[in-house]
Amino acid sequence: MQDWTETRLLMGNEAIAYGAVRAGVQVVTGYPGTPSTEVLETAAHLVRNGTSSADVEWSVNEKAALEVAAGASYAGARVMVTMKQVGMNVASDPLMSLNYIGIKGGMVIVVADDPGPISSQTEQDTRRFGEFAKVLVLDPASPEEAYTLAYEAFSLSERIGRPVILRPTTRVCHSTATVQLLPPDAERTIPGFQRDDGKNPHSRPFVIFPALTRRNKAEIEDCLRQASLDLSDFPGNSLSSNPDAVLGIACSGVSYLYVKEALGFFDNLPPLKLLKCASTPAPLPLMEQFLQNLDTVAVFEELDPVTEDALVRTAQGGRFPANIIGKRGGLVPNVGELSPERIASILSFYLELTPNIPRTPAAPADLPIRPPVLCAGCGHRAAFCAVKKALHDKKAFYCGDIGCYTLGNAAPLEMVDTCLCMGAGITIAQGIRKAEPDAVLVAFIGDSTFFHTGIPGIVNAVYNNADILIVILDNHNTAMTGGQPHPGTGRNALGQEAKALDIACVVRALGVDACLEWDALDFPAVVNAVQVYAEQPGVKVLLLHGPCVTACRSTAKPLYVNSNCTGCRNCIRRIGCPAISLDSAGKAAIDRQLCTGCRLCTNACRFEAIAEEGKV
């Protein structure tokens, strides 16, 4: 049981979960995605250790997660939904309508943005999504503030009767800080679902119709306008003022901490005003107070110029003469993360001071580039090699998807020609096949992605009689984000036993007659299966099983290289396994600590130079 009087070292994502539990969250749903994953994992941990009694689930995708949470909120439960920023695209359909309908129990949607990006397809700004959906967004600057805002967001959501988005960025999600834990609120009773509004027994407030939309649209606009007036005192929004200042600095999110550190690089600073915006819409009274008597305002924020645009509108509406500079004029970079050093360099021009930026030791110039690779023994590598060998003499295109197997695009595999978004490989392949009727189209998709958004693509292929081969890479977990369970694993977010959906049965139920299951490491059999399926018309599915080596350590003995090795390097050029390298004599060498004994490399050596220990 948690001691609520202690100070703990928490990662930002952990702090968000602790803040939600303090607020009495009762239902937590989500889909794993870096940098958001640990929020739900921490919530599940707090349930397992008895700190929380919330219902926690990994949902099949972000749309399902938001809809499950919406149903619980309709009944008055406090709910939290977690996802990364591209997951918001998947959840956007219910979110847009949900904001028009409204909620009963507080709903906090945690959407982690990824400036850089570091581990995402896009660098989209969820504050813009909030503006588009007319949903209020909170932007924490630190793990401590993430804890506070996660807690406050629930009561704010209930006050306005609509969902609230909490938008941490990668550095807030994954940095750590000491957080003072506070006692939780009194336990809440879920009032239950009420089909009418309590006034008219024939009303159905949770059924969206154009008339309801028109009426509630006006309420939404009034809500946002009032929020802009009321949020000046909300935690996270602040103004450090100086009556003599003519230069102001405005910032949001983690950029606030960067600015504070950057200002420490200067001596003899002139009087400044510092505005910190943690909400979208930004607090209008605070912005007006900030802009008074300023000649110049520099705005620092990651991703889009949301705070900058709000200040420009405020300055124009209030006839403040300040020159507002930021991303719009090219002063602040539009791409990637900010840093104290980058901000100090920009400020030096306006402060007319030279910053004392600490010198960072230069990295050695001869360090090799080390891109991410598939693990030694990964079944995905075996599948790529087998398909490549089977179709080496054919015109073929390979459509990938989101997961570890995206790494199949790199040399020497080079087996991913396209990668767009979750589940798109199957449908992209159908489109290319229409334009390239003489080519073999192969779509690779993982098991978790299959359940997430792969099934509609298969339905589309069957319905439209597409001629494609779908290779489902089943490693029995959501490996890329840390090994979370999914509907095919037989366990849920709390580690409890759950019904495991059989992927092959699902595929056959969708109308695919040609469906074959095989061990991903059975190289000759997979090669043969691909060659047979490549000659057949229609939709074919090859389900290849290969448990993730990080979750299911192999018991096979490591391999070694015997004296037959000629140094031809064929094993390295064809397989690209990180366990194989060259020794000082230019011969192949196998790292016993990395080798799982999968034997894939033996298929690349025509000299029989790779063998199990104890065998010649």
Side-chain angles (χ1 to χ4, degrees), residues 28-33 40 56-68 81-83 87 90-91 422-423 446-456 478 484-489 491-493 501 506:
V28 182
T29 64
Y31 185 82
L40 191 141
V56 180
E57 73 167 47
W58 284 124
S59 305
V60 69
N61 60 32
E62 295 86 353
K63 180 179 185 291
L66 185 57
E67 291 162 347
V68 170
V81 191
T82 73
M83 64 193 72
V90 181
M422 295 282 282
D447 46 343
S448 183
T449 309
F450 166 82
F451 287 112
H452 182 280
T453 38
I455 293 174
T478 312
Q484 293 76 27
H486 61 64
T489 62
R491 56 191 174 91
N492 62 19
L501 298 185
V506 173

mmCIF file of all heavy atoms in Angstrom, residues 28-33 40 56-68 81-83 87 90-91 422-423 446-456 478 484-489 491-493 501 506:
data_model
loop_
_atom_site.group_PDB
_atom_site.id
_atom_site.type_symbol
_atom_site.label_atom_id
_atom_site.label_comp_id
_atom_site.label_asym_id
_atom_site.label_seq_id
_atom_site.Cartn_x
_atom_site.Cartn_y
_atom_site.Cartn_z
ATOM 1 N N VAL A 28 -9.062 3.219 -16.349
ATOM 2 C CA VAL A 28 -7.909 3.662 -17.137
ATOM 3 C C VAL A 28 -7.809 2.768 -18.357
ATOM 4 O O VAL A 28 -7.762 1.541 -18.240
ATOM 5 C CB VAL A 28 -6.593 3.589 -16.332
ATOM 6 C CG1 VAL A 28 -5.430 4.114 -17.169
ATOM 7 C CG2 VAL A 28 -6.708 4.371 -15.026
ATOM 8 N N THR A 29 -7.802 3.373 -19.532
ATOM 9 C CA THR A 29 -7.685 2.621 -20.778
ATOM 10 C C THR A 29 -6.572 3.247 -21.620
ATOM 11 O O THR A 29 -6.166 4.387 -21.398
ATOM 12 C CB THR A 29 -8.992 2.652 -21.584
ATOM 13 O OG1 THR A 29 -9.260 4.017 -21.986
ATOM 14 C CG2 THR A 29 -10.165 2.142 -20.761
ATOM 15 N N GLY A 30 -6.087 2.506 -22.604
ATOM 16 C CA GLY A 30 -5.055 3.074 -23.469
ATOM 17 C C GLY A 30 -4.491 2.052 -24.420
ATOM 18 O O GLY A 30 -4.861 0.861 -24.400
ATOM 19 N N TYR A 31 -3.584 2.516 -25.254
ATOM 20 C CA TYR A 31 -2.825 1.633 -26.152
ATOM 21 C C TYR A 31 -1.364 2.046 -26.049
ATOM 22 O O TYR A 31 -1.056 3.243 -26.014
ATOM 23 C CB TYR A 31 -3.316 1.750 -27.601
ATOM 24 C CG TYR A 31 -2.627 0.762 -28.518
ATOM 25 C CD1 TYR A 31 -3.072 -0.559 -28.584
ATOM 26 C CD2 TYR A 31 -1.525 1.125 -29.274
ATOM 27 C CE1 TYR A 31 -2.430 -1.481 -29.395
ATOM 28 C CE2 TYR A 31 -0.875 0.209 -30.085
ATOM 29 C CZ TYR A 31 -1.330 -1.096 -30.146
ATOM 30 O OH TYR A 31 -0.686 -2.006 -30.933
ATOM 31 N N PRO A 32 -0.444 1.078 -25.961
ATOM 32 C CA PRO A 32 0.962 1.446 -25.762
ATOM 33 C C PRO A 32 1.532 2.228 -26.937
ATOM 34 O O PRO A 32 1.193 1.986 -28.096
ATOM 35 C CB PRO A 32 1.666 0.092 -25.599
ATOM 36 C CG PRO A 32 0.699 -0.949 -26.038
ATOM 37 C CD PRO A 32 -0.660 -0.372 -25.955
ATOM 38 N N GLY A 33 2.374 3.182 -26.613
ATOM 39 C CA GLY A 33 3.044 3.984 -27.637
ATOM 40 C C GLY A 33 4.021 4.943 -26.987
ATOM 41 O O GLY A 33 3.620 5.740 -26.139
ATOM 42 N N LEU A 40 0.011 4.118 -18.226
ATOM 43 C CA LEU A 40 -0.919 3.039 -17.924
ATOM 44 C C LEU A 40 -0.228 1.912 -17.167
ATOM 45 O O LEU A 40 -0.818 1.300 -16.264
ATOM 46 C CB LEU A 40 -1.564 2.512 -19.203
ATOM 47 C CG LEU A 40 -2.755 1.563 -18.973
ATOM 48 C CD1 LEU A 40 -3.860 1.817 -19.981
ATOM 49 C CD2 LEU A 40 -2.328 0.102 -19.041
ATOM 50 N N VAL A 56 -8.187 -1.182 -15.048
ATOM 51 C CA VAL A 56 -7.143 -0.775 -15.994
ATOM 52 C C VAL A 56 -7.097 -1.772 -17.141
ATOM 53 O O VAL A 56 -7.061 -2.991 -16.908
ATOM 54 C CB VAL A 56 -5.763 -0.708 -15.302
ATOM 55 C CG1 VAL A 56 -4.694 -0.278 -16.292
ATOM 56 C CG2 VAL A 56 -5.808 0.251 -14.114
ATOM 57 N N GLU A 57 -7.074 -1.281 -18.372
ATOM 58 C CA GLU A 57 -6.994 -2.185 -19.520
ATOM 59 C C GLU A 57 -6.141 -1.607 -20.638
ATOM 60 O O GLU A 57 -6.127 -0.399 -20.890
ATOM 61 C CB GLU A 57 -8.383 -2.501 -20.074
ATOM 62 C CG GLU A 57 -9.053 -1.363 -20.829
ATOM 63 C CD GLU A 57 -10.280 -1.810 -21.635
ATOM 64 O OE1 GLU A 57 -11.136 -2.538 -21.079
ATOM 65 O OE2 GLU A 57 -10.381 -1.427 -22.807
ATOM 66 N N TRP A 58 -5.393 -2.497 -21.286
ATOM 67 C CA TRP A 58 -4.860 -2.178 -22.608
ATOM 68 C C TRP A 58 -5.965 -2.469 -23.605
ATOM 69 O O TRP A 58 -6.433 -3.609 -23.701
ATOM 70 C CB TRP A 58 -3.634 -3.038 -22.938
ATOM 71 C CG TRP A 58 -2.355 -2.647 -22.262
ATOM 72 C CD1 TRP A 58 -1.568 -3.424 -21.482
ATOM 73 C CD2 TRP A 58 -1.698 -1.369 -22.338
ATOM 74 N NE1 TRP A 58 -0.472 -2.727 -21.050
ATOM 75 C CE2 TRP A 58 -0.517 -1.458 -21.569
ATOM 76 C CE3 TRP A 58 -1.991 -0.165 -22.975
ATOM 77 C CZ2 TRP A 58 0.358 -0.393 -21.408
ATOM 78 C CZ3 TRP A 58 -1.111 0.901 -22.823
ATOM 79 C CH2 TRP A 58 0.048 0.782 -22.063
ATOM 80 N N SER A 59 -6.399 -1.476 -24.306
ATOM 81 C CA SER A 59 -7.459 -1.648 -25.306
ATOM 82 C C SER A 59 -6.842 -2.068 -26.632
ATOM 83 O O SER A 59 -5.629 -1.966 -26.839
ATOM 84 C CB SER A 59 -8.241 -0.338 -25.469
ATOM 85 O OG SER A 59 -8.738 0.116 -24.225
ATOM 86 N N VAL A 60 -7.671 -2.508 -27.549
ATOM 87 C CA VAL A 60 -7.159 -3.000 -28.826
ATOM 88 C C VAL A 60 -6.568 -1.878 -29.665
ATOM 89 O O VAL A 60 -5.654 -2.086 -30.450
ATOM 90 C CB VAL A 60 -8.271 -3.759 -29.589
ATOM 91 C CG1 VAL A 60 -9.357 -2.797 -30.065
ATOM 92 C CG2 VAL A 60 -7.690 -4.536 -30.753
ATOM 93 N N ASN A 61 -7.081 -0.655 -29.519
ATOM 94 C CA ASN A 61 -6.478 0.527 -30.156
ATOM 95 C C ASN A 61 -6.987 1.775 -29.424
ATOM 96 O O ASN A 61 -7.798 1.683 -28.493
ATOM 97 C CB ASN A 61 -6.770 0.594 -31.666
ATOM 98 C CG ASN A 61 -8.248 0.649 -32.002
ATOM 99 O OD1 ASN A 61 -9.058 1.191 -31.252
ATOM 100 N ND2 ASN A 61 -8.618 0.104 -33.151
ATOM 101 N N GLU A 62 -6.514 2.935 -29.851
ATOM 102 C CA GLU A 62 -6.839 4.172 -29.149
ATOM 103 C C GLU A 62 -8.307 4.559 -29.296
ATOM 104 O O GLU A 62 -8.900 5.136 -28.374
ATOM 105 C CB GLU A 62 -5.950 5.307 -29.657
ATOM 106 C CG GLU A 62 -4.477 5.136 -29.369
ATOM 107 C CD GLU A 62 -3.740 4.315 -30.415
ATOM 108 O OE1 GLU A 62 -4.405 3.747 -31.319
ATOM 109 O OE2 GLU A 62 -2.501 4.233 -30.335
ATOM 110 N N LYS A 63 -8.900 4.250 -30.429
ATOM 111 C CA LYS A 63 -10.331 4.528 -30.625
ATOM 112 C C LYS A 63 -11.163 3.740 -29.624
ATOM 113 O O LYS A 63 -12.047 4.288 -28.948
ATOM 114 C CB LYS A 63 -10.739 4.181 -32.053
ATOM 115 C CG LYS A 63 -12.209 4.430 -32.396
ATOM 116 C CD LYS A 63 -12.477 4.072 -33.855
ATOM 117 C CE LYS A 63 -13.910 4.431 -34.258
ATOM 118 N NZ LYS A 63 -14.905 3.565 -33.594
ATOM 119 N N ALA A 64 -10.863 2.456 -29.502
ATOM 120 C CA ALA A 64 -11.593 1.628 -28.543
ATOM 121 C C ALA A 64 -11.355 2.117 -27.116
ATOM 122 O O ALA A 64 -12.274 2.148 -26.299
ATOM 123 C CB ALA A 64 -11.156 0.165 -28.687
ATOM 124 N N ALA A 65 -10.111 2.517 -26.818
ATOM 125 C CA ALA A 65 -9.791 2.995 -25.474
ATOM 126 C C ALA A 65 -10.633 4.210 -25.110
ATOM 127 O O ALA A 65 -11.186 4.300 -24.002
ATOM 128 C CB ALA A 65 -8.304 3.330 -25.380
ATOM 129 N N LEU A 66 -10.746 5.161 -26.036
ATOM 130 C CA LEU A 66 -11.505 6.376 -25.757
ATOM 131 C C LEU A 66 -12.989 6.088 -25.623
ATOM 132 O O LEU A 66 -13.684 6.656 -24.770
ATOM 133 C CB LEU A 66 -11.252 7.416 -26.853
ATOM 134 C CG LEU A 66 -11.884 8.786 -26.638
ATOM 135 C CD1 LEU A 66 -11.435 9.400 -25.318
ATOM 136 C CD2 LEU A 66 -11.540 9.730 -27.790
ATOM 137 N N GLU A 67 -13.487 5.171 -26.434
ATOM 138 C CA GLU A 67 -14.914 4.849 -26.379
ATOM 139 C C GLU A 67 -15.270 4.104 -25.099
ATOM 140 O O GLU A 67 -16.328 4.349 -24.497
ATOM 141 C CB GLU A 67 -15.294 4.039 -27.618
ATOM 142 C CG GLU A 67 -15.245 4.868 -28.898
ATOM 143 C CD GLU A 67 -15.195 4.039 -30.159
ATOM 144 O OE1 GLU A 67 -14.957 2.814 -30.065
ATOM 145 O OE2 GLU A 67 -15.375 4.603 -31.248
ATOM 146 N N VAL A 68 -14.408 3.192 -24.653
ATOM 147 C CA VAL A 68 -14.645 2.503 -23.377
ATOM 148 C C VAL A 68 -14.675 3.524 -22.239
ATOM 149 O O VAL A 68 -15.562 3.504 -21.377
ATOM 150 C CB VAL A 68 -13.555 1.443 -23.126
ATOM 151 C CG1 VAL A 68 -13.647 0.896 -21.700
ATOM 152 C CG2 VAL A 68 -13.689 0.297 -24.123
ATOM 153 N N VAL A 81 -7.474 8.156 -20.256
ATOM 154 C CA VAL A 81 -7.110 7.446 -21.488
ATOM 155 C C VAL A 81 -5.676 7.833 -21.821
ATOM 156 O O VAL A 81 -5.304 9.013 -21.716
ATOM 157 C CB VAL A 81 -8.041 7.823 -22.655
ATOM 158 C CG1 VAL A 81 -7.822 6.893 -23.836
ATOM 159 C CG2 VAL A 81 -9.492 7.804 -22.228
ATOM 160 N N THR A 82 -4.849 6.867 -22.229
ATOM 161 C CA THR A 82 -3.450 7.166 -22.535
ATOM 162 C C THR A 82 -3.103 6.745 -23.960
ATOM 163 O O THR A 82 -3.575 5.714 -24.447
ATOM 164 C CB THR A 82 -2.498 6.456 -21.554
ATOM 165 O OG1 THR A 82 -2.464 5.051 -21.844
ATOM 166 C CG2 THR A 82 -2.939 6.658 -20.111
ATOM 167 N N MET A 83 -2.264 7.555 -24.598
ATOM 168 C CA MET A 83 -1.815 7.266 -25.961
ATOM 169 C C MET A 83 -0.694 8.222 -26.324
ATOM 170 O O MET A 83 -0.451 9.214 -25.649
ATOM 171 C CB MET A 83 -2.972 7.428 -26.955
ATOM 172 C CG MET A 83 -3.519 8.839 -27.067
ATOM 173 S SD MET A 83 -5.107 8.958 -27.938
ATOM 174 C CE MET A 83 -6.225 8.252 -26.730
ATOM 175 N N GLY A 87 -1.569 8.303 -31.864
ATOM 176 C CA GLY A 87 -2.756 7.595 -31.417
ATOM 177 C C GLY A 87 -3.973 8.498 -31.368
ATOM 178 O O GLY A 87 -5.110 8.036 -31.507
ATOM 179 N N VAL A 90 -6.052 8.156 -34.368
ATOM 180 C CA VAL A 90 -6.951 7.001 -34.362
ATOM 181 C C VAL A 90 -8.177 7.282 -33.502
ATOM 182 O O VAL A 90 -9.288 6.859 -33.815
ATOM 183 C CB VAL A 90 -6.199 5.753 -33.848
ATOM 184 C CG1 VAL A 90 -7.107 4.530 -33.851
ATOM 185 C CG2 VAL A 90 -4.957 5.490 -34.687
ATOM 186 N N ALA A 91 -7.977 8.022 -32.410
ATOM 187 C CA ALA A 91 -9.073 8.304 -31.476
ATOM 188 C C ALA A 91 -9.868 9.544 -31.854
ATOM 189 O O ALA A 91 -10.823 9.898 -31.145
ATOM 190 C CB ALA A 91 -8.503 8.476 -30.068
ATOM 191 N N MET A 422 -0.225 2.694 -38.583
ATOM 192 C CA MET A 422 -0.669 1.399 -38.069
ATOM 193 C C MET A 422 -1.716 0.763 -38.987
ATOM 194 O O MET A 422 -2.760 1.354 -39.269
ATOM 195 C CB MET A 422 -1.261 1.562 -36.671
ATOM 196 C CG MET A 422 -0.286 2.016 -35.607
ATOM 197 S SD MET A 422 0.787 0.721 -34.998
ATOM 198 C CE MET A 422 -0.293 -0.172 -33.887
ATOM 199 N N GLY A 423 -1.405 -0.443 -39.448
ATOM 200 C CA GLY A 423 -2.344 -1.198 -40.262
ATOM 201 C C GLY A 423 -2.338 -0.877 -41.735
ATOM 202 O O GLY A 423 -3.047 -1.525 -42.516
ATOM 203 N N GLY A 446 2.648 -6.959 -37.751
ATOM 204 C CA GLY A 446 2.851 -7.662 -36.503
ATOM 205 C C GLY A 446 1.542 -8.078 -35.849
ATOM 206 O O GLY A 446 0.454 -7.651 -36.252
ATOM 207 N N ASP A 447 1.650 -8.895 -34.807
ATOM 208 C CA ASP A 447 0.451 -9.425 -34.164
ATOM 209 C C ASP A 447 -0.345 -8.343 -33.457
ATOM 210 O O ASP A 447 -1.578 -8.279 -33.564
ATOM 211 C CB ASP A 447 0.797 -10.564 -33.207
ATOM 212 C CG ASP A 447 1.988 -10.260 -32.302
ATOM 213 O OD1 ASP A 447 2.751 -9.327 -32.601
ATOM 214 O OD2 ASP A 447 2.171 -10.967 -31.300
ATOM 215 N N SER A 448 0.321 -7.457 -32.724
ATOM 216 C CA SER A 448 -0.416 -6.396 -32.035
ATOM 217 C C SER A 448 -1.038 -5.425 -33.036
ATOM 218 O O SER A 448 -2.181 -4.999 -32.867
ATOM 219 C CB SER A 448 0.514 -5.638 -31.080
ATOM 220 O OG SER A 448 -0.197 -4.661 -30.356
ATOM 221 N N THR A 449 -0.301 -5.091 -34.090
ATOM 222 C CA THR A 449 -0.827 -4.190 -35.113
ATOM 223 C C THR A 449 -1.976 -4.843 -35.873
ATOM 224 O O THR A 449 -2.915 -4.161 -36.308
ATOM 225 C CB THR A 449 0.281 -3.768 -36.081
ATOM 226 O OG1 THR A 449 1.389 -3.281 -35.331
ATOM 227 C CG2 THR A 449 -0.190 -2.679 -37.023
ATOM 228 N N PHE A 450 -1.911 -6.163 -36.043
ATOM 229 C CA PHE A 450 -3.022 -6.895 -36.667
ATOM 230 C C PHE A 450 -4.323 -6.627 -35.923
ATOM 231 O O PHE A 450 -5.356 -6.301 -36.513
ATOM 232 C CB PHE A 450 -2.704 -8.392 -36.674
ATOM 233 C CG PHE A 450 -3.882 -9.272 -36.983
ATOM 234 C CD1 PHE A 450 -4.278 -9.491 -38.292
ATOM 235 C CD2 PHE A 450 -4.605 -9.886 -35.953
ATOM 236 C CE1 PHE A 450 -5.372 -10.305 -38.582
ATOM 237 C CE2 PHE A 450 -5.699 -10.696 -36.229
ATOM 238 C CZ PHE A 450 -6.084 -10.908 -37.545
ATOM 239 N N PHE A 451 -4.283 -6.740 -34.591
ATOM 240 C CA PHE A 451 -5.499 -6.487 -33.806
ATOM 241 C C PHE A 451 -5.845 -4.999 -33.775
ATOM 242 O O PHE A 451 -7.020 -4.630 -33.713
ATOM 243 C CB PHE A 451 -5.312 -7.004 -32.378
ATOM 244 C CG PHE A 451 -5.338 -8.498 -32.261
ATOM 245 C CD1 PHE A 451 -4.181 -9.198 -31.921
ATOM 246 C CD2 PHE A 451 -6.492 -9.215 -32.503
ATOM 247 C CE1 PHE A 451 -4.202 -10.581 -31.814
ATOM 248 C CE2 PHE A 451 -6.523 -10.596 -32.401
ATOM 249 C CZ PHE A 451 -5.362 -11.288 -32.059
ATOM 250 N N HIS A 452 -4.838 -4.135 -33.807
ATOM 251 C CA HIS A 452 -5.057 -2.683 -33.710
ATOM 252 C C HIS A 452 -5.848 -2.159 -34.901
ATOM 253 O O HIS A 452 -6.945 -1.612 -34.749
ATOM 254 C CB HIS A 452 -3.700 -1.982 -33.605
ATOM 255 C CG HIS A 452 -3.758 -0.501 -33.456
ATOM 256 N ND1 HIS A 452 -3.952 0.357 -34.522
ATOM 257 C CD2 HIS A 452 -3.617 0.293 -32.369
ATOM 258 C CE1 HIS A 452 -3.944 1.606 -34.088
ATOM 259 N NE2 HIS A 452 -3.735 1.589 -32.786
ATOM 260 N N THR A 453 -5.314 -2.305 -36.099
ATOM 261 C CA THR A 453 -6.011 -1.797 -37.289
ATOM 262 C C THR A 453 -5.753 -2.641 -38.536
ATOM 263 O O THR A 453 -6.008 -2.195 -39.656
ATOM 264 C CB THR A 453 -5.579 -0.341 -37.598
ATOM 265 O OG1 THR A 453 -4.181 -0.191 -37.335
ATOM 266 C CG2 THR A 453 -6.347 0.679 -36.807
ATOM 267 N N GLY A 454 -5.253 -3.863 -38.363
ATOM 268 C CA GLY A 454 -4.974 -4.703 -39.524
ATOM 269 C C GLY A 454 -6.179 -5.440 -40.060
ATOM 270 O O GLY A 454 -6.270 -5.734 -41.259
ATOM 271 N N ILE A 455 -7.140 -5.725 -39.188
ATOM 272 C CA ILE A 455 -8.296 -6.534 -39.609
ATOM 273 C C ILE A 455 -9.126 -5.856 -40.701
ATOM 274 O O ILE A 455 -9.502 -6.521 -41.684
ATOM 275 C CB ILE A 455 -9.154 -6.889 -38.374
ATOM 276 C CG1 ILE A 455 -8.374 -7.839 -37.457
ATOM 277 C CG2 ILE A 455 -10.483 -7.509 -38.782
ATOM 278 C CD1 ILE A 455 -9.052 -8.147 -36.138
ATOM 279 N N PRO A 456 -9.433 -4.545 -40.602
ATOM 280 C CA PRO A 456 -10.206 -3.932 -41.700
ATOM 281 C C PRO A 456 -9.505 -4.030 -43.060
ATOM 282 O O PRO A 456 -10.182 -4.172 -44.089
ATOM 283 C CB PRO A 456 -10.338 -2.471 -41.251
ATOM 284 C CG PRO A 456 -10.229 -2.515 -39.766
ATOM 285 C CD PRO A 456 -9.237 -3.596 -39.481
ATOM 286 N N THR A 478 3.508 -6.950 -27.683
ATOM 287 C CA THR A 478 3.702 -5.651 -28.326
ATOM 288 C C THR A 478 5.143 -5.251 -28.027
ATOM 289 O O THR A 478 5.434 -4.507 -27.085
ATOM 290 C CB THR A 478 2.707 -4.618 -27.771
ATOM 291 O OG1 THR A 478 1.387 -5.186 -27.775
ATOM 292 C CG2 THR A 478 2.704 -3.349 -28.612
ATOM 293 N N GLN A 484 4.154 -5.259 -24.025
ATOM 294 C CA GLN A 484 2.811 -5.248 -23.424
ATOM 295 C C GLN A 484 1.944 -6.359 -24.055
ATOM 296 O O GLN A 484 2.161 -6.759 -25.199
ATOM 297 C CB GLN A 484 2.139 -3.887 -23.621
ATOM 298 C CG GLN A 484 2.787 -2.748 -22.865
ATOM 299 C CD GLN A 484 4.075 -2.269 -23.503
ATOM 300 O OE1 GLN A 484 4.270 -2.391 -24.710
ATOM 301 N NE2 GLN A 484 4.960 -1.726 -22.692
ATOM 302 N N PRO A 485 0.950 -6.836 -23.312
ATOM 303 C CA PRO A 485 0.061 -7.860 -23.861
ATOM 304 C C PRO A 485 -0.913 -7.274 -24.878
ATOM 305 O O PRO A 485 -1.108 -6.065 -24.941
ATOM 306 C CB PRO A 485 -0.682 -8.375 -22.625
ATOM 307 C CG PRO A 485 -0.692 -7.202 -21.689
ATOM 308 C CD PRO A 485 0.621 -6.493 -21.915
ATOM 309 N N HIS A 486 -1.518 -8.153 -25.655
ATOM 310 C CA HIS A 486 -2.565 -7.767 -26.608
ATOM 311 C C HIS A 486 -3.590 -8.891 -26.670
ATOM 312 O O HIS A 486 -3.429 -9.919 -25.978
ATOM 313 C CB HIS A 486 -1.965 -7.436 -27.981
ATOM 314 C CG HIS A 486 -1.241 -8.579 -28.647
ATOM 315 N ND1 HIS A 486 -1.865 -9.736 -29.048
ATOM 316 C CD2 HIS A 486 0.062 -8.733 -28.982
ATOM 317 C CE1 HIS A 486 -1.004 -10.558 -29.609
ATOM 318 N NE2 HIS A 486 0.181 -9.987 -29.563
ATOM 319 N N PRO A 487 -4.662 -8.757 -27.434
ATOM 320 C CA PRO A 487 -5.735 -9.763 -27.385
ATOM 321 C C PRO A 487 -5.312 -11.181 -27.758
ATOM 322 O O PRO A 487 -6.073 -12.117 -27.510
ATOM 323 C CB PRO A 487 -6.766 -9.226 -28.390
ATOM 324 C CG PRO A 487 -6.573 -7.747 -28.366
ATOM 325 C CD PRO A 487 -5.095 -7.555 -28.214
ATOM 326 N N GLY A 488 -4.135 -11.352 -28.344
ATOM 327 C CA GLY A 488 -3.705 -12.697 -28.708
ATOM 328 C C GLY A 488 -2.791 -13.359 -27.705
ATOM 329 O O GLY A 488 -2.383 -14.514 -27.893
ATOM 330 N N THR A 489 -2.450 -12.670 -26.614
ATOM 331 C CA THR A 489 -1.441 -13.192 -25.690
ATOM 332 C C THR A 489 -2.006 -14.013 -24.539
ATOM 333 O O THR A 489 -1.264 -14.741 -23.875
ATOM 334 C CB THR A 489 -0.614 -12.036 -25.092
ATOM 335 O OG1 THR A 489 -1.471 -11.170 -24.343
ATOM 336 C CG2 THR A 489 0.087 -11.238 -26.185
ATOM 337 N N ARG A 491 -3.264 -12.722 -21.729
ATOM 338 C CA ARG A 491 -3.162 -12.016 -20.450
ATOM 339 C C ARG A 491 -3.515 -10.549 -20.679
ATOM 340 O O ARG A 491 -3.412 -10.035 -21.792
ATOM 341 C CB ARG A 491 -1.767 -12.135 -19.832
ATOM 342 C CG ARG A 491 -0.645 -11.672 -20.734
ATOM 343 C CD ARG A 491 0.724 -12.046 -20.181
ATOM 344 N NE ARG A 491 1.783 -11.719 -21.124
ATOM 345 C CZ ARG A 491 2.434 -10.567 -21.164
ATOM 346 N NH1 ARG A 491 2.111 -9.618 -20.279
ATOM 347 N NH2 ARG A 491 3.382 -10.327 -22.043
ATOM 348 N N ASN A 492 -3.939 -9.875 -19.599
ATOM 349 C CA ASN A 492 -4.381 -8.490 -19.734
ATOM 350 C C ASN A 492 -3.367 -7.539 -19.097
ATOM 351 O O ASN A 492 -2.265 -7.945 -18.700
ATOM 352 C CB ASN A 492 -5.775 -8.294 -19.142
ATOM 353 C CG ASN A 492 -5.822 -8.579 -17.644
ATOM 354 O OD1 ASN A 492 -4.803 -8.593 -16.957
ATOM 355 N ND2 ASN A 492 -7.019 -8.822 -17.126
ATOM 356 N N ALA A 493 -3.737 -6.276 -18.978
ATOM 357 C CA ALA A 493 -2.804 -5.256 -18.489
ATOM 358 C C ALA A 493 -2.368 -5.505 -17.060
ATOM 359 O O ALA A 493 -1.294 -5.052 -16.640
ATOM 360 C CB ALA A 493 -3.449 -3.867 -18.598
ATOM 361 N N LEU A 501 -7.245 -14.583 -28.364
ATOM 362 C CA LEU A 501 -7.833 -14.712 -29.694
ATOM 363 C C LEU A 501 -6.815 -15.360 -30.627
ATOM 364 O O LEU A 501 -5.656 -14.941 -30.684
ATOM 365 C CB LEU A 501 -8.243 -13.345 -30.232
ATOM 366 C CG LEU A 501 -9.306 -12.589 -29.431
ATOM 367 C CD1 LEU A 501 -9.699 -11.309 -30.158
ATOM 368 C CD2 LEU A 501 -10.526 -13.456 -29.193
ATOM 369 N N VAL A 506 -9.169 -15.986 -36.637
ATOM 370 C CA VAL A 506 -9.738 -14.693 -37.029
ATOM 371 C C VAL A 506 -9.574 -14.474 -38.529
ATOM 372 O O VAL A 506 -10.512 -14.057 -39.226
ATOM 373 C CB VAL A 506 -9.066 -13.541 -36.238
ATOM 374 C CG1 VAL A 506 -9.536 -12.192 -36.773
ATOM 375 C CG2 VAL A 506 -9.373 -13.658 -34.751
#
